[in-house]
Amino acid sequence: MKKFRKVLDGLTTSSPGGTIGTPSCGSAAGTPTAAPTPKEIDVQETLISENFQLCKTVRHGFPYQPTALAFDPVQKILAIGSRSGGVRILGRPGVDCYCQHESGAAVLQLQFLINEGALVTACADDTLHLWNLRQRRPAVLHSLKFNRERITFCHLPFQSKWLYVGTERGNTHIVNIESFILSGYVIMWNKAIELSTKTHPGPVVHLSDSPKDEGKLLVGFESGTIVQWDLRAKKADFRIYYDEAIHSVSWHHEGKTFMCSHSDGSLTLWNLRNTSKPFQVTFPHGKIQKDGRKESCKPILKVEYKTSRSSEPFVIFSGGLSYDKAGRRPTLTIMHGKAITVLEMDHPIVEFMVLCETPYNNEVQDPYAVVVLLEKDLIVVDLTQSNFPVFENPYPMDVHESPVTCTAYFADCPPDIIPILYSIGAKHKKTGYSQKEWPVSGGSWTLGSHTYPEIIITGHADGSVKFWDASAFTLQMLYKLKTSKVFEKPKAGEGRAAELVEEDPFAVQMVSWCPQSRIFCVVGISAHIILYRFSKYDANTQIVSLEVRLQCDSEDIITPSENENNPCFAEPGSHSPQPHHQHPLSPGSRTPEGAKDSIPCLKVKDRVVRVPPGYQSELVIQLLWVDGEPPQQITSLDINSAYGLLAFGNLNGLAVVDYLQKTVLLCISTLDLYGATDPYQRLTRSPRRNRQSTSEFCMRGLSNFYSDSKKRIRTSYQSLTELTDNQQSTDMDRSKSPTSDHVNGHCTSPTSQPCSAGKPRIPMGPEGPRLTRRGPGRPPFRKAQSAACMEISLPVSHTEESRENSFSRSRSSSVSSIDRDTKEAVTTLQFGESYGRKNDVLPGPCLWVGTSLGVVLLIPMSIPIDHEERMEDSVTVGPSGAVQMLKGSVLRFAFLDCSGALIQGPYEVWRDQNAPEDSDRPRRRKLVHFSPSSSQDACGEGHLTVVCSERQAKVFLMPSQSCLFVHNITESSFVLRADVVSVCNSVCLACFCANGHVMMLSLPSLRPLMDVNYLPLTDMRIARTFYFTNGGQALYLSSPTEIQRITYTQEMCDNLQEMLGELFTPIETPEAQNRGFLKGFFGGNTQTFDREELFGEAAAGKASRSLAQHIPGQGGVEGMKVAAGGAVGELARARIALDERGQRLGELEERTALMMTSAETFSKHAHELMLKCKDKKWYQF
């Protein structure tokens, strides 16, 4: 515990660049503070570096770009591999584990060691990995890197320790799972095919052992060649040459027939008695044309042939549709007897797998479900019902149902909010699911002791907002809100708004939520804000709409030709934006120049609408078009339920709205906030010769969610071209401001460029902006960008020197310095009880404003206290000028009392406005205030204000505005996200930087506690969605479909093991069915053989060292124990040996009985023959 003592009397001003070791003090004006200050402040900081550690906890959502699927039928766990080298292992709800290959190579195939707690992965870098699943955090035990051949297919027989590996060259290798060493036994492709064959059979696409005899291996080659290889005799039993390429093979459980799927959309059935031609050829979806020919069909990529005791066999396959109809959706076909059912899928099928009751391939399979892995979804179909319903998925696989555009994370929420949201959201759930239990039910999970209510909010491109229960490392959908229902549906091609954001005009840009008052605000891409109140009752409501004209006029900018040496601002009040409360013009109205003016981007429903229980819209605020220019996107928002006020800002200025009285209190440009105290001498630039529209960039919508090359994460500064001195400052200047593309951790569009005073505006018709709005090297994006594939221009430095050192890996050198831009954006807002002026004795309602130039402004407000007065009298607002200056855009405000405790903002206790009237209890607002002086003896002792910008953090004392501590967070990068969070019964400042560092600073001393290089290079999607919350947790969107949660506290890292689920649970392997004597005698008995004797080093020798390289894994202590005993384990091997011995003894008994029966038959026939020939003479024979 460290004690900081700070004497405040007689402190002199110093530069704001002081370090933490030398706290500096100074006012915004650079003069000593005159306000009375306490003699001393005692702050006891309890946080130390040992309290912090960064680690990943759990990942939610659908695996991005899935490639492979596997299922353990005994443990009942599912594994999904992805293109980025990730593996998700799923069991019962709560059992969800994510593993990542260090190489990042795509996962080609997955193979469970059934009921052994291990998993084999084959990756695109031709490496096999053995994962130990008997620990909560799976680890790699062994790896085997193939050097000369490419892996194409793997097969691991049940209860075998020998893995068959097929390669691109057509060879088949055998790997010992326990030691992960290659056997010397190899099936060479030239030995498998006939010597007379002149062509290479192609890569191995299938490997499987015969259900009838494990010593027979069926090898399928891509060209259509199929070989059954006798492992004992080391020769081919038969070879099949078919004209069409093979995609998959599936055995009948008796081992007498097998089915193949081909590239021409056909299925062939082969009988082992006659392999010269297929027993049956069918085209399930091929129709006979008029000329008698079969129409061409798409390939059948996979087929599964499963038998059932109670019904006809199932033939399930993907693909095979005819080419006659373009745009048909992917299908899964289920053939059950004569019935053919075609299930259409929303996305392409990656892989599917039929789930059966038995793990033995030589028994009747009895399939009960089929797991279908799609590109963007996972579904499970119930095969036990004739209509084949799907199971309700318990995992949050629909996070990406619409592209995620923003996130918010709230820990330690009020305990009653989750049940209420769930009860309302449950009424809108889909129906028609299978009534049976979810079949992936493996593993075990218990609710940990360190649990508290947590909620994650995601905003989406279609305007929807989802509330998720994130308690105890799980994620469950609670409630879905559709913001688009507030507006009329835009007609195709109607107006400029439809032209600019054609597909995503309702995309959510940011959200603000007060869990205590349950007031919720949504900021949309079309420069609109929707305020919602929560109610448990439905209601008929009229949506109130406010329209705000927050746009600076052309006279705001002074050109050098008119005033070359003067600061570029006019007298206060000369160019303040004007609010509009009514609809002044229809959507089709235009100015005399032919451009739109004073119209919103979207049309709010002007009729009474019935709203269901849940969040109900109360107020819609829209920014207006001005002189053909669309409104700038909103960059900051804050709402306070106790004050009844909402504030928002953008590149042009600030607006404050009284949502109780539905009026605009303040609508002012950023420059007017300063008055005569503007700390910047703003440089100006020469007038532009060609003023170009920024409509497309201001209203840039969301880019297409998934794509290959065009939809990668990209940054707009990479598309900028180098500007020379003699080039015109055209539309490139729009992207040079640090606030133009990234403000307060949120993506905003490039700024609209100012035009020179006295210059006539160039009228532009409908086609004008379309031809000139795009600059060189800038792609013509037409849709709003999602957080999944976000185009974010990161903020630039404020000086030439720091710009050269900042984020050099991805920042373009053509980005201009900020001092050349005359516009200043409002980047963050915060309501709170504070001191509006230095001579104030008591705190009052205030609005803190942070700008893109690092200026902190304070706006005191006068709010009536009485309920009736508050609803009738107006709120007065008066800016008081600049308070402090920091380096970089201001990102976050927070308030501490003089003992270092976090001061919560005041709020209104939630009350249901639609509840039935109660005459005894009139409806009155109940407010909860946390005054800065409530925990102190003296009333005028003030409080501490924490301000964090892109590069700096400051703590200063109110009301004297004296700076106590300064810390330069980074010089070579910049902060993307900053939050003041409660952790370990204290508070700290959490920062996430563009260079991937996660930092923790103590409060109020700003002492560094942790600095971890978490990400090697910042991903723009992560920069967009990173969010810190209380309790030592954070989240970000790790892929377009997945949410990654992390912790930064040592306590949670230590308790992580007990919070995670167990993947492996001890389960007895089901016994194989006993085959009767007659069935074995007449139907052929399943033969077993000793693979160790055949593939071991003594018999097969050693494989070439250059063929593959063994790499030991880092499995940890638990993993090494398993590795020492082999992945299968001693008990498992002993059980397998006993089973094999029992099977051999059973075979011996059956053979003995057969010999005895034969002897008795021979004796009987001999006796009959003797009686017949007994009385015959020799000549009668």
Side-chain angles (χ1 to χ4, degrees):
M1 185 178 296
K2 194 169 182 180
K3 188 174 182 180
F4 290 89
R5 182 174 291 270
K6 182 66 186 165
V7 180
L8 300 178
D9 288 342
L11 288 176
T12 59
T13 62
S14 61
S15 64
T19 62
I20 187 173
T22 309
S24 59
C25 174
S27 65
T31 57
T33 57
T37 59
K39 293 296 181 183
E40 57 183 32
I41 294 177
D42 292 339
V43 178
Q44 294 181 341
E45 295 189 356
T46 59
L47 294 178
I48 57 177
S49 298
E50 286 71 19
N51 294 130
F52 296 92
Q53 182 183 347
L54 195 68
C55 67
K56 296 180 180 179
T57 54
V58 68
R59 182 172 292 207
H60 304 296
F62 179 76
Y64 183 54
Q65 294 180 331
T67 55
L69 180 69
F71 182 72
D72 188 327
V74 179
Q75 288 289 321
K76 295 191 181 300
I77 57 177
L78 188 75
I80 301 173
S82 68
R83 191 177 300 176
S84 61
V87 178
R88 284 280 292 280
I89 305 173
L90 304 169
R92 67 177 65 249
V95 179
D96 189 340
C97 180
Y98 175 77
C99 313
Q100 176 67 44
H101 293 91
E102 292 183 1
S103 64
V107 179
L108 299 179
Q109 198 173 350
L110 300 168
Q111 286 278 330
F112 275 107
L113 274 67
I114 296 176
N115 203 28
E116 301 296 345
L119 175 70
V120 175
T121 59
C123 297
D125 60 350
D126 306 308
T127 306
L128 299 173
H129 303 274
L130 178 65
W131 292 83
N132 174 27
L133 306 184
R134 296 189 178 224
Q135 55 194 57
R136 294 176 187 256
R137 289 277 191 174
V140 174
L141 296 176
H142 300 283
S143 297
L144 188 65
K145 168 73 174 176
F146 280 74
N147 297 322
R148 296 185 299 185
E149 298 193 50
R150 306 295 306 272
I151 298 174
T152 58
F153 195 87
C154 297
H155 171 64
L156 180 65
F158 179 46
Q159 294 183 330
S160 170
K161 66 177 183 179
W162 297 96
L163 174 72
Y164 302 111
V165 181
T167 67
E168 193 175 32
R169 292 186 180 180
N171 302 325
T172 302
H173 301 275
I174 301 172
V175 179
N176 187 313
I177 291 298
E178 293 180 349
S179 62
F180 240 57
I181 296 176
L182 271 178
S183 168
Y185 193 110
V186 183
I187 305 174
M188 304 299 292
W189 68 271
N190 54 354
K191 299 289 183 64
I193 65 174
E194 292 180 342
L195 296 177
S196 60
T197 306
K198 298 181 180 180
T199 58
H200 191 279
V204 175
V205 296
H206 177 80
L207 292 169
S208 62
D209 52 334
S210 170
K212 189 176 179 181
D213 186 355
E214 294 178 350
K216 311 285 187 179
L217 183 68
L218 195 68
V219 183
F221 299 92
E222 188 180 54
S223 63
T225 301
I226 301 175
V227 177
Q228 179 166 291
W229 186 261
D230 190 331
L231 295 170
R232 302 182 191 87
K234 298 183 181 180
K235 66 176 184 178
D237 286 344
F238 62 82
R239 299 178 177 90
I240 296 174
Y241 300 97
Y242 196 66
D243 296 336
E244 294 295 335
I246 292 176
H247 285 281
S248 68
V249 181
S250 181
W251 280 98
H252 187 279
H253 79 275
E254 293 181 351
K256 297 178 181 179
T257 58
F258 61 86
M259 184 175 290
C260 301
S261 67
H262 299 278
S263 58
D264 63 346
S266 65
L267 295 174
T268 57
L269 188 63
W270 300 83
N271 195 313
L272 298 190
R273 294 180 180 178
N274 181 15
T275 57
S276 60
K277 62 179 182 179
F279 173 72
Q280 184 181 356
V281 179
T282 58
F283 287 83
H285 296 296
K287 299 177 182 177
I288 300 177
Q289 298 176 344
K290 293 181 179 180
D291 56 1
R293 293 183 303 173
K294 289 275 187 180
E295 60 182 350
S296 58
C297 297
K298 299 177 183 179
I300 295 179
L301 301 178
K302 183 177 180 180
V303 64
E304 294 228 24
Y305 185 23
K306 302 297 180 182
T307 54
S308 175
R309 286 188 178 88
S310 58
S311 63
E312 295 289 328
F314 284 87
V315 177
I316 303 173
F317 61 89
S318 61
L321 293 178
S322 61
Y323 284 104
D324 59 345
K325 292 183 181 179
R328 295 183 66 175
R329 294 199 292 178
T331 60
L332 182 78
T333 304
I334 302 174
M335 298 173 63
H336 188 208
K338 294 183 179 180
I340 300 179
T341 305
V342 179
L343 305 178
E344 289 190 339
M345 304 296 167
D346 293 331
H347 310 287
I349 298 174
V350 176
E351 174 72 286
F352 75 89
M353 182 167 290
V354 179
L355 309 187
C356 302
E357 295 289 352
T358 175
Y360 297 94
N361 65 347
N362 58 356
E363 297 180 356
V364 179
Q365 300 297 288
D366 280 331
Y368 60 90
V370 55
V371 180
V372 187
L373 178 63
L374 308 177
E375 278 190 1
K376 302 176 188 178
D377 202 0
L378 176 72
I379 65 172
V380 181
V381 181
D382 187 357
L383 295 179
T384 61
Q385 301 183 39
S386 59
N387 58 339
F388 302 125
V390 298
F391 290 88
E392 185 177 5
N393 197 328
Y395 314 125
M397 293 292 185
D398 57 345
V399 172
H400 64 289
E401 183 179 15
S402 175
V404 178
T405 54
C406 68
T407 60
Y409 191 7
F410 299 88
D412 206 8
C413 300
D416 60 335
I417 190 70
I418 290 179
I420 290 177
L421 287 174
Y422 180 80
S423 62
I424 292 178
K427 299 176 182 178
H428 305 284
K429 280 193 172 182
K430 297 178 181 179
T431 58
Y433 293 110
S434 172
Q435 300 300 316
K436 294 195 173 183
E437 186 182 354
W438 178 255
V440 186
S441 57
S444 62
W445 178 77
T446 55
L447 194 65
S449 57
H450 302 271
T451 59
Y452 43 83
E454 300 173 73
I455 287 181
I456 293 174
I457 300 176
T458 56
H460 300 266
D462 62 352
S464 62
V465 178
K466 294 181 180 180
F467 290 75
W468 306 84
D469 178 10
S471 308
F473 286 165
T474 61
L475 195 69
Q476 184 180 11
M477 174 88 145
L478 291 175
Y479 175 73
K480 182 178 180 179
L481 173 67
K482 295 182 179 180
T483 63
S484 60
K485 291 187 175 181
V486 174
F487 303 99
E488 301 285 357
K489 292 183 179 180
K491 297 180 181 178
E494 178 185 290
R496 288 282 285 279
E499 172 192 333
L500 297 173
V501 279
E502 295 169 345
E503 299 185 29
D504 304 306
F506 312 112
V508 178
Q509 194 173 350
M510 68 180 81
V511 296
S512 178
W513 186 48
C514 177
Q516 288 79 16
S517 62
R518 301 182 189 175
I519 287 182
F520 185 59
C521 267
V522 176
V523 176
I525 198 81
S526 298
H528 64 270
I529 300 173
I530 310 174
L531 185 143
Y532 290 90
R533 284 185 182 270
F534 186 83
S535 176
K536 294 188 290 184
Y537 305 92
D538 56 359
N540 296 320
T541 181
Q542 173 79 44
I543 304 172
V544 180
S545 176
L546 284 180
E547 296 178 354
V548 180
R549 185 185 179 96
L550 191 57
Q551 191 92 359
C552 293
D553 297 329
S554 60
E555 289 77 13
D556 293 350
I557 311 304
I558 309 300
T559 63
S561 59
E562 297 177 358
N563 193 354
E564 196 166 313
N565 299 319
N566 293 335
C568 183
F569 57 87
E571 291 299 322
S574 63
H575 50 271
S576 298
Q578 299 299 322
H580 289 257
H581 304 279
Q582 303 298 328
H583 300 269
L585 296 173
S586 64
S589 62
R590 295 180 179 271
T591 60
E593 292 84 0
K596 289 191 174 184
D597 184 68
S598 300
I599 62 169
C601 297
L602 300 171
K603 184 180 179 182
V604 180
K605 292 180 179 178
D606 55 0
R607 61 185 182 276
V608 176
V609 294
R610 185 163 188 84
V611 289
Y615 274 103
Q616 301 169 352
S617 57
E618 179 175 309
L619 177 66
V620 178
I621 304 169
Q622 290 183 285
L623 299 185
L624 300 175
W625 286 64
V626 178
D627 297 334
E629 287 290 329
Q632 294 289 332
Q633 288 183 356
I634 296 167
T635 58
S636 55
L637 171 76
D638 192 39
I639 186 170
N640 188 279
S641 57
Y643 302 158
L645 300 180
L646 179 150
F648 64 92
N650 66 0
L651 188 69
N652 292 324
L654 167 71
V656 180
V657 175
D658 183 345
Y659 67 79
L660 295 179
Q661 299 185 18
K662 310 295 189 298
T663 58
V664 179
L665 301 177
L666 181 69
C667 185
I668 188 171
S669 67
T670 315
L671 196 58
D672 282 340
L673 291 173
Y674 293 108
T677 62
D678 191 352
Y680 278 96
Q681 295 295 323
R682 300 167 191 265
L683 300 179
T684 57
R685 52 186 164 220
S686 60
R688 293 188 176 91
R689 299 180 185 176
N690 181 21
R691 181 170 183 267
Q692 303 189 6
S693 170
T694 58
S695 305
E696 183 165 346
F697 301 103
C698 297
M699 301 300 299
R700 190 183 312 167
L702 278 160
S703 74
N704 217 354
F705 188 31
Y706 287 100
S707 64
D708 299 328
S709 58
K710 290 186 179 179
K711 297 172 189 173
R712 297 173 187 162
I713 301 163
R714 50 191 180 261
T715 57
S716 62
Y717 51 78
Q718 290 174 333
S719 66
L720 296 175
T721 58
E722 188 71 20
L723 297 178
T724 59
D725 294 337
N726 57 359
Q727 282 181 312
Q728 296 181 8
S729 177
T730 55
D731 59 342
M732 283 303 164
D733 294 342
R734 290 196 299 265
S735 299
K736 66 189 176 186
S737 169
T739 64
S740 62
D741 284 76
H742 187 92
V743 174
N744 194 20
H746 300 284
C747 175
T748 63
S749 296
T751 69
S752 61
Q753 67 270 53
C755 64
S756 57
K759 302 288 182 179
R761 292 177 179 268
I762 302 175
M764 287 183 288
E767 300 299 325
R770 205 173 296 174
L771 297 175
T772 60
R773 74 165 60 110
R774 192 165 68 248
R778 189 180 294 274
F781 296 133
R782 297 303 303 275
K783 299 170 62 184
Q785 284 243 335
S786 70
C789 41
M790 184 60 61
E791 180 181 354
I792 300 178
S793 179
L794 299 174
V796 301
S797 309
H798 290 236
T799 63
E800 291 292 335
E801 180 182 357
S802 60
R803 187 176 70 250
E804 292 176 0
N805 298 328
S806 62
F807 209 54
S808 58
R809 286 175 291 186
S810 59
R811 189 175 300 189
S812 171
S813 62
S814 65
V815 181
S816 303
S817 175
I818 189 169
D819 59 2
R820 293 186 57 209
D821 203 321
T822 55
K823 290 215 169 184
E824 181 178 8
V826 176
T827 57
T828 185
L829 296 165
Q830 182 72 53
F831 285 105
E833 296 285 316
S834 187
Y835 301 86
R837 294 170 180 83
K838 292 184 180 181
N839 55 359
D840 285 353
V841 178
L842 295 176
C846 292
L847 174 64
W848 289 79
V849 182
T851 74
S852 58
L853 298 185
V855 179
V856 177
L857 299 154
L858 188 57
I859 301 178
M861 299 175 294
S862 176
I863 303 176
I865 299 176
D866 184 72
H867 176 71
E868 285 76 12
E869 292 179 357
R870 176 65 185 86
M871 301 304 294
E872 297 176 1
D873 297 347
S874 61
V875 177
T876 58
V877 179
S880 62
V883 175
Q884 277 285 344
M885 290 175 57
L886 291 86
K887 298 178 182 178
S889 300
V890 181
L891 300 179
R892 188 67 60 211
F893 293 116
F895 310 115
L896 309 177
D897 61 24
C898 291
S899 63
L902 184 66
I903 300 175
Q904 301 291 339
Y907 63 87
E908 176 190 2
V909 178
W910 174 73
R911 57 191 177 93
D912 198 333
Q913 293 186 330
N914 296 332
E917 294 284 350
D918 189 350
S919 57
D920 298 334
R921 301 179 61 184
R923 294 180 180 176
R924 299 181 63 87
R925 301 176 69 226
K926 182 179 179 182
L927 308 182
V928 177
H929 286 270
F930 299 91
S931 173
S933 59
S934 60
S935 62
Q936 300 162 36
D937 299 333
C939 268
E941 289 201 353
H943 68 89
L944 304 176
T945 299
V946 181
V947 185
C948 183
S949 72
E950 291 175 345
R951 299 182 181 280
Q952 217 176 32
K954 283 188 178 183
V955 176
F956 52 94
L957 179 67
M958 297 298 291
S960 66
Q961 301 180 7
S962 305
C963 182
L964 303 182
F965 297 98
V966 177
H967 179 69
N968 294 321
I969 299 174
T970 177
E971 292 293 340
S972 60
S973 185
F974 47 91
V975 178
L976 292 171
R977 179 79 194 187
D979 290 291
V980 174
V981 293
S982 299
V983 57
C984 300
N985 298 320
S986 186
V987 291
C988 67
L989 176 62
C991 301
F992 175 62
C993 296
N995 57 7
H997 283 247
V998 176
M999 302 179 183
M1000 298 292 155
L1001 304 175
S1002 68
L1003 289 176
S1005 67
L1006 299 177
R1007 176 171 44 92
L1009 298 172
M1010 184 185 75
D1011 186 354
V1012 176
N1013 187 7
Y1014 177 61
L1015 298 169
L1017 181 65
T1018 300
D1019 192 318
M1020 293 304 102
R1021 183 194 328 105
I1022 298 174
R1024 168 73 169 165
T1025 57
F1026 207 101
Y1027 203 102
F1028 291 101
T1029 190
N1030 298 329
Q1033 294 197 73
L1035 66 78
Y1036 58 90
L1037 210 65
S1038 59
S1039 74
T1041 62
E1042 295 170 288
I1043 294 174
Q1044 178 67 60
R1045 292 166 68 178
I1046 62 174
T1047 180
Y1048 49 87
T1049 63
Q1050 182 67 53
E1051 180 184 7
M1052 187 165 287
C1053 290
D1054 295 339
N1055 297 325
L1056 188 60
Q1057 291 293 328
E1058 68 177 64
M1059 297 180 185
L1060 298 176
E1062 290 274 4
L1063 293 173
F1064 179 81
T1065 54
I1067 300 175
E1068 188 67 28
T1069 303
E1071 296 182 358
Q1073 294 179 2
N1074 186 17
R1075 297 167 64 89
F1077 164 72
L1078 292 177
K1079 190 171 183 179
F1081 180 69
F1082 293 106
N1085 192 26
T1086 301
Q1087 301 181 27
T1088 59
F1089 73 108
D1090 190 349
R1091 294 186 177 90
E1092 180 69 33
E1093 181 180 342
L1094 194 60
F1095 303 143
E1097 185 177 332
K1102 293 184 179 180
S1104 173
R1105 291 186 178 181
S1106 62
L1107 183 60
Q1109 176 187 0
H1110 176 258
I1111 305 172
Q1114 302 294 328
V1117 177
E1118 216 173 332
M1120 298 311 289
K1121 290 179 181 178
V1122 179
V1128 180
E1130 297 295 339
L1131 292 176
R1133 286 199 298 274
R1135 188 179 70 246
I1136 293 172
L1138 287 174
D1139 291 343
E1140 292 178 352
R1141 185 184 176 196
Q1143 290 176 0
R1144 291 172 183 170
L1145 288 175
E1147 293 174 8
L1148 181 60
E1149 290 178 358
E1150 291 177 357
R1151 290 174 183 172
T1152 304
L1154 183 60
M1155 291 177 63
M1156 290 179 62
T1157 305
S1158 300
E1160 291 177 0
T1161 304
F1162 178 76
S1163 174
K1164 181 180 179 181
H1165 284 297
H1167 183 67
E1168 291 176 355
L1169 183 60
M1170 183 266 296
L1171 293 177
K1172 185 177 180 180
C1173 302
K1174 179 178 179 182
D1175 299 328
K1176 289 187 179 181
K1177 304 296 181 182
W1178 63 270
Y1179 51 84
Q1180 292 178 329
F1181 287 96

